[in-house]
């Protein structure tokens, strides 16, 4: 259809059919007031503040629902319109508390702003007013529903975007309210405390508890940071007053999370100001920690490292770094450990996801998520298997729900009744641990019915014949017996996934680890490649990690067998390049990994360990065994923000800055490198990890010369080809996705478009392990296998010192 031409306030514009008058006006830069309108929600025209006058129309029309028409002439500020808006505001004020002097929303209240603009100071309407109880019973926000104007945005966000369905309109007429069913307390509802209702409330009905009485909006400064929790790397504005974070809100139009957050991002930052912070260097003397100066602590560390290194050799040293630390921190950490002559550097948390990483590496030659989070919303079919993104990676769950709203086929394969089942086309409640069998069954149907992409397989992959042979026994009937599913449902789901032009697979790295690990990820990669759903937009494979910078820490070289940028130690040219850049000789001997140390039942060759930001003793199972192994060390240094279970065993504890106190970059699961700014100053004797490492390196005799994190990142880019085109100057609002190989490169949105990182994608015949179901049940008894507790290796060191510990007993991070 041709474009529609209309005139608004004397300005002509052409718009696409279906565009509303409100949308057309905004394209012209004409502001029309709204309360109930939200671009993510279906328009409902409830508040009527957006009325406009259309010539030849009998009545004023709500611009948010009225479509633009050919040759329409619209007036947004006529006398009729102004009077109608004043009348509307006056009606609202008749049943609205006028405590603006003390209301926390003052300065960011739409009702207040519009009353000011239209000069409505009071209401001429007199009658009954609401007298609803003030609700301060939950830990997160205050509810004063006497101030609610019934715009319905919170209801729409909760039900459609988040899928929690915690609130709705209750009762009718004058006594209409927004509340949980039967007006139960919000904490007893299905609310997930994502804060989306708070961020979108136009008035003072919903106020975060943490900001109450601490400052007006204009008294705070907003600083953009990267969320310190899961690997999606959501963008947050921290609101700061007097060097204290007093609030948080999503960054509008973020390429990662738009203006959405979950409970962790919205409320989980308050650990920064915890009284449990370590605020001075500590040295253990006669079993008791004693505060010392930085000079004393560093001198003590250097003496012990050099003594142990001299007596036992370089490989008696080991370093464990953190996927919570920035890229710059991690890079310098592995540089320091390797400069001491050993490649014994790893992350304990990484081993939650090691098998999943190995599976992606073997299939694609790259372990990163193939596509952006935003692209999920535009896919034609989504297979969600094994995980529950609503609890492990909520923003990803929002995108899956959006895809379903947009008409995508949604297939959910999970032993549990997760929330996405409510909007799924196919619910496949398979037995725990049988995921590999199901994926093989789907692949069997796709091949047997000729639904596979023969051209893609021929041109882009290898190993298809072996895969086809290996899948022969996984008939729908055979798989149905294993999984407990109906074989017709298996067939229909396979057809729906394979027939989609663009199809995505969403899982969870931690759950994959429990459901077959490397094998399950290979099977999922098989499915994606069979249908040609790799290397194109809104397709691919999503297996996000638990930690916010696990991708970046691996990129930096927190691995015992590769250097920064996954450059292998066995390559002499690589070693020579790093040796020249660092001014030290790089050992060619692969190092010990974390699992090899902690799962060793014999005496280890490691005598000293430096742990930065990790808490292995507080993670997962066998905690006593891990503690005993650390106690056997001759010397242990822990650098952290809290006195964790691991730090309590150390000989030296160094206090480090929290995420909100330092500058640095983080790489999320979609390979997006993002710059996080410092929002507050750390305590007096606390410094960023990178600064501590630089100082320690100087005490150890290494000539490091960095003025700050930007210099460190420049060195990273010079040594890592995938980061070569990235620099702080280019990391403004959007970040950049690697590979980004020069300054003109805008980054890589979709991986494997022309070829896989390994050349051709590799099919692998994966066998279902019948013993896995029993192991999965045993694991479930030890810790949660899916959902909010998405990874058993995370120790809750941050969340248990935050208000979010009140929600579902913490966040395991």
């Amino acid at each position: 259809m041709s474009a529609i031409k209309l005139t608004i306030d004397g300005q002509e514009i052409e718009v696409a059919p279906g565009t509303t008058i409100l949308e057309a006006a905004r394209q012209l830069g004409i502001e029309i007031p709204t309360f109930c309108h939200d671009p993510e929600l279906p328009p409902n025209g409830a508040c009527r503040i957006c009325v406009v006058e259309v010539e030849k129309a009998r009545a004023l029309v709500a611009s948010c629902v009225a479509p633009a028409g050919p040759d329409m002439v619209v007036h947004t500020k006529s006398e009729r319109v102004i009077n109608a808006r004043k009348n509307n505001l006056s009606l609202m004020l008749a049943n609205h508390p006028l405590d603006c002097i003390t209301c926390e929303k003052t300065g960011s209240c739409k009702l207040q702003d519009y009353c000011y603009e239209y000069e409505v100071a009071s209401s001429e309407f007199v009658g009954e007013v609401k007298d609803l109880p003030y609700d301060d019973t939950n830990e997160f926000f205050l509810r004063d529903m006497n101030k609610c104007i019934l715009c319905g945005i919170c209801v729409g966000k909760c039900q459609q975007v988040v899928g929690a369905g915690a609130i709705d309109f209750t009762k009718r007429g004058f006594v209409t309210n927004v509340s949980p069913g039967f007006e139960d307390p919000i904490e007893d509802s299905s609310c997930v405390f994502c804060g989306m209702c708070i961020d979108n409330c136009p008035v003072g009905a919903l106020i975060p508890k943490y900001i109450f009485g601490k400052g007006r909006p204009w008294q705070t400064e907003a600083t953009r940071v990267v969320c310190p929790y899961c690997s999606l790397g959501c963008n947050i504005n921290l609101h700061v007053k007097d060097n204290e974070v007093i609030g948080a809100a999503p960054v509008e139009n973020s390429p990662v999370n738009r203006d959405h957050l979950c409970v962790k991002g919205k409320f989980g930052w308050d650990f920064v100001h915890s009284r449990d912070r370590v605020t001075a260097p500590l040295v253990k003397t006669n079993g008791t920690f004693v505060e010392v100066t930085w000079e004393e602590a560093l001198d003590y560390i250097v003496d012990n490292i050099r003594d142990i290194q001299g007596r036992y050799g370089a490989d008696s040293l080991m370093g464990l770094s953190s996927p919570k630390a920035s890229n710059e921190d991690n890079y310098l950490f592995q540089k320091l450990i390797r400069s001491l002559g050993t490649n014994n550097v790893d992350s304990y948390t990484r081993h939650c996801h090691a098998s999943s990483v190995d599976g992606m590496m073997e299939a694609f030659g790259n372990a990163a998520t193939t596509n952006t989070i935003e692209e999920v919303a535009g896919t034609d079919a989504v297979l969600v298997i094994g995980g529950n993104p609503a609890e492990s990676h909520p923003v990803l769950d929002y995108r899956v729900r959006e895809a379903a709203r947009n008409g995508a086929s949604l297939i959910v394969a999970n032993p549990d009744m997760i929330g996405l089942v409510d909007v799924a086309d196919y619910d496949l409640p398979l037995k725990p641990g049988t995921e590999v069998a199901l994926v093989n069954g789907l692949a069997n149907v796709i091949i047997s019915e000729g639904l596979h992409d023969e051209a893609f397989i021929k041109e882009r992959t290898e190993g298809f014949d072996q895969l086809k042979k290996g899948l022969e026994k996984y008939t729908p009937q055979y798989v149905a017996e294993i999984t407990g599913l109906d074989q017709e449902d298996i067939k229909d789901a396979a057809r729906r996934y394979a027939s989609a032009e663009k199809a995505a697979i969403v899982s969870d790295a931690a759950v994959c680890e429990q459901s077959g690990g490397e094998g399950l990820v290979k099977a999922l990669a098989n499915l994606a490649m069979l249908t040609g759903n790799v290397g194109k937009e809104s397709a691919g494979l999503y297996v996000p990690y638990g930690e916010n910078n696990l991708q970046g820490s691996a990129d930096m070289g927190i691995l015992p067998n590769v250097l920064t940028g996954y450059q292998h130690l066995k390559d002499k040219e690589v070693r020579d390049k790093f040796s020249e850049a660092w001014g030290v000789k790089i050992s060619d001997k692969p190092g010990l990994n974390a699992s090899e140390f902690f799962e060793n039942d014999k005496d280890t060759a490691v005598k000293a360990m430096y742990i930065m930001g990790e808490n292995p003793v507080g993670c997962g199972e066998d905690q006593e065994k891990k503690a005993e192994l650390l106690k056997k060390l001759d010397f242990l240094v822990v650098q952290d923000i809290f006195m964790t279970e691991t730090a309590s065993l150390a000989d030296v504890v160094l206090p480090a800055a929290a995420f909100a106190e330092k500058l640095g970059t983080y790489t999320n699961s979609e390979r997006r490198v993002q710059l996080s700014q410092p929002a507050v100053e750390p305590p007096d004797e606390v410094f960023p990890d990178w600064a501590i490492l630089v100082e320690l390196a100087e005490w150890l005799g290494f000539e490091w010369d960095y003025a700050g994190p930007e210099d460190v990142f420049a060195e990273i880019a010079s040594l890592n080809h995938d980061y070569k085109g990235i620099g702080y100057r280019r990391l403004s609002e959007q970040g950049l996705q690697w590979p980004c190989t020069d300054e003109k490169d805008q980054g890589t949105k979709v991986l494997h478009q022309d070829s896989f990182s390994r050349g051709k994608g590799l099919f692998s015949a994966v066998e279902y392990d019948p013993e896995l179901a029993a192991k999965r049940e045993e694991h479930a008894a030890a810790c949660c296998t899916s959902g909010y507790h998405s990874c058993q290796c995370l120790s809750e060191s941050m969340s248990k010192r935050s208000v979010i510990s009140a929600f579902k007993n913490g966040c395991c991070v």
Side-chain angles (χ1 to χ4, degrees):
M1 295 178 63
S2 58
I4 293 171
K5 182 182 291 186
L6 71 157
T7 302
I8 305 177
D9 290 349
Q11 300 183 59
E12 288 190 353
I13 186 173
E14 289 188 357
V15 296
T19 303
T20 65
I21 294 174
L22 176 64
E23 291 168 336
R26 288 184 171 176
Q27 288 181 33
L28 287 170
I30 297 171
E31 186 60 35
I32 296 175
T34 62
F35 283 120
C36 68
H37 175 74
D38 187 277
E40 285 191 317
L41 304 175
N44 61 18
C47 73
R48 315 303 289 183
I49 196 69
C50 70
V51 291
V52 295
E53 184 175 0
V54 178
E55 290 187 5
K56 300 181 182 180
R58 290 185 299 172
L60 300 179
V61 300
S63 62
C64 69
V65 293
D71 302 319
M72 185 179 276
V73 178
V74 180
H75 302 284
T76 71
K77 295 181 175 65
S78 69
E79 184 177 353
R80 286 180 67 196
V81 169
I82 299 300
N83 288 336
R85 291 176 185 167
K86 285 184 175 182
N87 193 60
N88 197 325
L89 291 169
S90 186
L91 284 166
M92 288 183 180
L93 288 188
N95 192 27
H96 192 89
L98 298 179
D99 60 346
C100 301
I101 294 175
T102 57
C103 181
E104 291 290 335
K105 195 73 173 184
T106 295
S108 58
C109 172
K110 273 192 172 185
L111 179 59
Q112 189 181 94
D113 291 344
Y114 292 155
C115 284
Y116 179 85
E117 181 180 350
Y118 291 95
E119 300 179 347
V120 179
S122 61
S123 176
E124 67 270 27
F125 300 102
V126 179
E128 186 179 358
V129 296
K130 290 185 290 187
D131 186 18
L132 297 169
Y134 187 75
D135 180 8
D136 64 351
T137 56
N138 74 82
E139 296 291 329
F140 299 96
F141 58 96
L142 307 168
R143 300 173 70 240
D144 185 355
M145 303 316 292
N146 294 304
K147 295 181 179 179
C148 176
I149 61 172
L150 301 176
C151 68
I153 289 181
C154 59
V155 174
K157 295 284 189 178
C158 185
Q159 294 189 357
Q160 298 184 50
V161 178
V162 180
I167 54 175
D168 205 340
F169 291 105
T170 58
K171 300 181 181 179
R172 293 186 178 184
F174 176 77
V175 293
T176 301
N177 191 20
V178 174
S179 74
F182 306 104
E183 298 192 337
D184 289 340
I186 193 74
E187 60 269 25
D188 294 336
S189 73
S190 56
C191 179
V192 294
F193 297 100
C194 63
M196 207 175 293
C197 57
I198 302 171
D199 292 327
N200 288 277
C201 181
V203 292
L206 304 170
I207 299 293
K209 275 190 173 180
Y210 53 66
I211 201 172
F212 192 79
K214 290 192 174 181
R216 299 295 199 182
W218 62 84
Q219 294 175 315
T220 66
E221 293 185 7
T223 302
R224 186 174 183 141
V225 300
V226 175
C227 180
Y229 287 95
C230 86
S231 63
L232 298 193
C234 293
N235 298 161
I236 306 172
N237 276 328
L238 293 182
H239 299 148
V240 177
K241 182 175 181 283
D242 299 331
N243 201 43
E244 180 185 1
V245 181
I246 63 170
V251 173
E252 290 187 13
N253 302 317
S254 161
V256 178
N257 55 303
R258 297 187 196 162
D259 57 349
H260 301 155
L261 291 175
C262 72
V263 65
K264 292 172 281 188
K266 180 65 178 176
F267 296 104
W269 46 265
D270 55 331
F271 67 87
V272 171
H273 300 305
S274 170
R275 294 180 180 179
D276 290 349
R277 290 286 299 272
V278 179
T279 57
L282 303 172
V283 170
K284 188 173 287 181
T285 303
N286 298 322
T288 302
F289 282 114
V290 177
E291 286 192 11
V292 298
T293 66
W294 273 99
E295 290 77 10
E296 289 171 324
L298 294 172
D299 190 48
Y300 187 56
I301 292 170
V302 170
D303 284 349
N304 278 274
I305 286 178
R306 289 305 190 194
D307 175 62
I308 291 169
Q309 188 181 37
R311 286 190 289 137
Y312 301 106
D315 286 329
S316 64
L317 309 176
M318 186 172 189
L320 295 181
S321 191
S322 172
K324 289 288 184 205
S326 70
N327 288 324
E328 294 79 3
D329 298 337
N330 277 300
Y331 172 79
L332 290 182
F333 186 85
Q334 59 89 36
K335 177 179 179 179
L336 179 64
I337 299 300
R338 289 188 159 110
S339 295
L340 290 168
T342 182
N343 289 305
N344 291 339
V345 61
D346 200 4
S347 162
Y348 180 78
T349 312
R350 180 182 71 84
H351 288 272
C352 280
H353 311 312
S355 296
S356 300
V357 169
D358 292 344
M360 293 268 278
M361 288 291 292
E362 185 163 340
F364 300 153
N366 188 304
T369 290
T370 60
N371 295 61
T372 65
I373 299 160
E374 182 66 25
E375 289 174 56
V376 175
T379 193
D380 299 316
V382 189
L383 168 62
V384 177
I385 182 165
N388 182 5
E391 296 191 342
S392 59
H393 301 88
V395 170
L396 181 55
D397 185 84
Y398 305 160
R399 299 297 168 265
V400 173
R401 287 181 175 276
E402 184 177 357
R405 292 199 304 275
N406 292 339
S409 299
L410 176 57
I411 305 159
V412 175
N414 195 300
D416 303 316
M417 181 68 73
I418 66 173
L420 284 173
V421 168
D422 293 342
V423 293
D425 297 280
Y426 296 95
D427 174 23
L428 305 178
L430 74 172
K431 294 177 182 177
T434 62
E435 287 84 357
V436 169
L438 173 60
V439 177
N440 282 348
L442 297 174
N444 174 285
V445 173
I446 289 169
I447 294 174
S448 62
E449 296 189 3
L451 302 175
H452 52 295
D453 188 332
E454 293 184 354
F456 183 90
I457 292 168
K458 182 178 180 181
E459 296 170 11
R460 300 283 309 277
T461 69
E462 58 186 351
F464 175 69
D465 290 339
Q466 294 90 326
L467 174 69
K468 184 177 180 181
K469 184 176 181 181
L471 292 175
E472 288 177 353
K473 71 177 182 180
Y474 289 95
T475 63
Q477 181 177 355
Y478 176 65
V479 172
E481 292 173 358
I482 294 172
T483 61
L485 300 173
D486 185 281
Q487 59 178 306
E488 291 304 317
D489 288 343
I490 296 171
K491 292 178 184 177
D492 289 344
R495 293 164 185 156
R496 186 67 67 93
Y497 173 82
S499 62
E501 183 177 343
K502 299 172 292 184
I505 299 172
V506 173
S507 192
D508 182 285
V511 176
C512 284
E513 195 75 16
Q514 302 146 18
S515 306
E518 184 176 347
L520 177 56
V521 174
K522 286 181 181 179
L524 294 174
N526 290 341
L527 196 62
M529 291 188 290
L530 270 178
T531 53
N533 276 303
V534 186
K536 64 182 180 182
E537 194 167 338
S538 293
L541 181 55
Y542 294 79
V543 190
Y545 307 123
E547 298 276 32
N548 71 320
N549 201 35
L550 194 143
Q551 182 69 60
S553 64
D555 295 347
M556 295 304 104
I558 302 297
L559 295 158
N561 60 335
V562 296
L563 290 154
T564 306
Y566 308 98
Q567 299 172 79
H568 211 285
L569 285 166
K570 64 184 179 183
D571 189 330
K572 185 177 183 301
E573 289 186 9
V574 168
R575 296 197 308 277
D576 289 346
K577 178 176 73 173
F578 279 87
S579 294
E580 182 179 354
W582 292 352
V584 296
K585 181 176 176 59
I586 304 297
S587 170
D588 63 352
K589 179 183 176 183
L592 194 70
N593 68 43
S595 289
E596 289 170 336
F597 175 83
F598 285 108
E599 294 173 8
N600 190 355
D601 293 323
K602 301 177 182 179
D603 288 339
T604 175
V606 175
K607 303 299 181 183
M609 187 175 289
Y610 189 170
I611 300 178
M612 183 181 78
E614 288 261 80
N615 183 20
V617 177
C619 293
E621 304 169 8
D622 297 325
Q623 294 185 8
E624 290 185 7
K625 176 184 175 181
K626 287 179 285 189
E628 288 303 315
L629 286 169
L630 292 177
K631 289 176 182 177
K632 289 181 180 179
L633 294 171
D634 290 359
F635 190 61
L636 174 62
V637 179
V638 173
Q639 185 169 305
D640 214 321
I641 60 177
F642 297 118
M643 181 59 71
T644 63
E645 293 89 341
T646 302
S648 68
L649 304 176
D651 297 287
V652 181
V653 177
L654 301 178
F659 82 105
E661 299 165 343
K662 62 184 181 181
L663 177 68
T665 61
Y666 300 83
T667 306
N668 74 351
S669 62
E670 62 180 12
R671 299 164 283 104
R672 189 182 300 274
V673 182
Q674 302 184 100
L675 186 63
S676 186
Q677 299 285 347
V680 292
E681 292 290 331
D684 288 343
E685 292 299 309
V686 175
F687 299 96
D689 292 294
W690 71 267
I692 297 171
L693 293 167
V694 169
E695 187 70 14
L696 179 57
E698 183 177 331
W699 280 67
L700 285 164
F702 302 119
E703 296 181 0
W704 289 8
D705 184 18
Y706 303 105
E710 186 170 2
D711 287 353
V712 180
F713 192 89
E715 183 171 302
I716 294 167
S718 72
L719 294 169
N720 182 345
H721 182 72
D722 286 339
Y723 281 61
K724 190 175 181 180
I726 305 175
Y728 273 31
R729 182 177 55 82
R730 300 189 68 199
L731 295 176
S732 54
E733 296 184 356
Q734 300 296 310
L736 285 167
Q737 292 171 271
W738 64 258
C740 180
T741 56
D742 60 55
E743 290 195 356
K744 294 182 180 179
D745 190 344
Q746 296 304 307
T748 303
K749 183 178 178 181
V750 180
L751 280 180
H752 317 304
Q753 292 188 68
D754 300 316
S755 65
F756 289 94
S757 298
R758 67 181 304 277
K760 288 192 173 185
L762 177 64
F763 285 113
S764 300
V766 180
E767 283 295 326
Y768 160 68
D769 181 358
E771 296 181 3
L772 186 62
K775 292 180 181 178
R776 179 78 177 269
E777 292 294 340
E778 292 174 7
H779 191 277
C783 63
C784 295
T785 56
S786 66
Y788 214 75
H789 299 267
S790 61
C791 178
Q792 76 275 19
C793 289
L794 307 179
S795 69
E796 301 184 4
S797 62
M798 297 187 319
S799 63
K800 70 183 179 184
R801 294 173 173 88
S802 166
V803 67
I804 60 175
S805 62
F807 179 54
K808 295 193 177 181
N809 299 317
C811 303
C812 284
V813 282

